Amino acid sequence: MDTETTDLFGRTVEIAVIDAATGKKLMDTLVDPGDAEISDGTRWVHGITDEMVADARPFEKILPRLRKVTKGRTICVYSAEYDRTVVLKDVERAGKSRCTWSPGTTGTA
């Protein structure tokens, strides 16, 4: 799993999940960060602009799919603590029930 954000520890603007065993893309979608603008520095890193996410679905709308594709899987993330923090904050901000996603364990968003 990987996320791209509006800024360091900001809101999600893209999330992707790949099955590590098969290489199959389970999810890859842009996310509308609401009223949070993408900072110049992060836009330089990932190339995603405010215009690109303007018509994307908000996090609370992509969350059911994220939960479905990660359910029962071990989540492998390059920068796990960072992505975990970002996703769990977005879950909380969306007013959805919090999940159990502990480092080194199987979990879902």
Side-chain angles (χ1 to χ4, degrees):
M1 185 177 80
D2 188 37
T3 63
E4 301 299 346
T5 59
T6 56
D7 56 31
L8 189 60
F9 291 103
R11 295 182 182 186
T12 302
V13 294
E14 182 180 36
I15 191 159
V17 181
I18 307 295
D19 184 311
T22 66
K24 180 181 176 187
K25 185 186 329 180
L26 303 175
M27 179 178 197
D28 185 5
T29 187
L30 292 173
V31 181
D32 180 351
D35 60 356
E37 293 183 6
I38 300 170
S39 73
D40 292 339
T42 55
R43 185 174 40 256
W44 182 84
V45 170
H46 55 53
I48 300 169
T49 66
D50 293 316
E51 293 78 20
M52 292 168 69
V53 297
D55 293 327
R57 294 180 297 156
F59 188 83
E60 62 267 15
K61 297 293 184 183
I62 64 97
L63 183 56
R65 175 100 176 122
L66 178 60
R67 286 184 167 165
K68 181 178 180 180
V69 301
T70 59
K71 185 175 182 174
R73 295 178 184 271
T74 299
I75 301 170
C76 300
V77 186
Y78 175 73
S79 183
E81 190 57 32
Y82 175 80
D83 285 319
R84 177 181 178 273
T85 300
V86 167
V87 169
L88 293 179
K89 278 214 170 249
D90 280 339
V91 169
E92 182 180 311
R93 196 177 289 115
K96 302 300 181 181
S97 59
R98 183 124 190 223
C99 65
T100 302
W101 182 12
S102 302
T105 65
T106 300
T108 59

